[in-house]
């Protein structure tokens, strides 16, 4: 008979001889991987931003912050043009990308554009539309 600690040590020793699952590094990167990751990232950024701004808007009167529309528009209007364009791009790109990719996912939910070729074409279309808009 073996003790419990001997059994645990035996299992630990056996684990060192098990094959390791292949990592993503052995596969050829595809546009679908990057778009999937970017869709999750943009969704997290958008939802997190909405939550943070919503919470800030709720506590603004208590803290004396001015987050009303007129104050925000006046503050934004005083920025240099480069900062305005950068701010708009920072907000617009995640929104447009996530929206276009959401439409792509809705098409998949309806069983359309499911072949490998169609998935790649729609993926590049999402990238193109996001950059252009």
């Amino acid at each position: 008979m073996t003790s419990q600690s001997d059994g645990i040590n035996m299992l630990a020793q056996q684990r060192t001889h098990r094959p390791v699952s292949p990592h993503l590094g052995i596969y050829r990167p595809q546009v679908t991987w990057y778009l999937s990751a970017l869709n999750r990232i943009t969704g997290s950024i958008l939802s997190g931003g909405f939550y943070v701004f919503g919470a800030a808007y709720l506590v603004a009167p208590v803290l004396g912050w001015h987050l009303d529309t007129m104050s925000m528009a006046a503050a934004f209007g005083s920025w240099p043009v480069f900062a305005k364009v950068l701010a708009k791009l920072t907000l617009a790109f995640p929104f447009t990308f996530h929206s276009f990719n959401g439409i792509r996912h809705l098409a998949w939910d309806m069983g359309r554009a499911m072949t490998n070729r169609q998935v790649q074409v729609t993926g590049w279309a999402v990238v193109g539309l996001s950059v252009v808009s």
Side-chain angles (χ1 to χ4, degrees):
M1 284 224 69
T2 59
S3 69
Q4 185 176 1
S5 63
D6 290 340
I8 291 171
N9 290 336
M10 186 183 307
L11 284 175
Q13 183 64 27
Q14 288 175 349
R15 285 187 187 114
T16 61
H17 299 297
R18 291 183 187 167
V20 178
S21 297
H23 191 266
L24 293 176
I26 69 167
Y27 298 108
R28 185 180 59 134
Q30 299 175 357
V31 69
T32 53
W33 293 7
Y34 295 116
L35 295 183
S36 176
L38 192 57
N39 193 47
R40 293 166 194 247
I41 291 167
T42 56
S44 298
I45 288 170
L46 289 170
S47 61
F50 283 130
Y51 279 117
V52 167
F53 183 77
Y57 192 80
L58 287 176
V59 299
V62 175
L63 299 176
W65 297 345
H66 299 286
L67 294 180
D68 56 297
T69 305
M70 286 179 30
S71 298
M72 298 276 289
F76 188 75
S78 68
W79 292 3
V81 174
F82 176 75
K84 289 179 193 178
V85 170
L86 188 62
K88 288 180 181 180
L89 179 68
T90 302
L91 292 173
F93 179 77
F95 185 80
T96 57
F97 175 80
H98 198 75
S99 297
F100 288 135
N101 211 30
I103 293 168
R104 181 174 172 234
H105 277 268
L106 287 174
W108 290 347
D109 291 343
M110 292 185 292
R112 300 178 191 267
M114 297 292 287
T115 67
N116 286 339
R117 176 81 179 132
Q118 290 170 327
V119 167
Q120 286 193 344
V121 168
T122 57
W124 284 112
V126 165
V127 170
L129 286 170
S130 299
V131 169
V132 168
S133 66

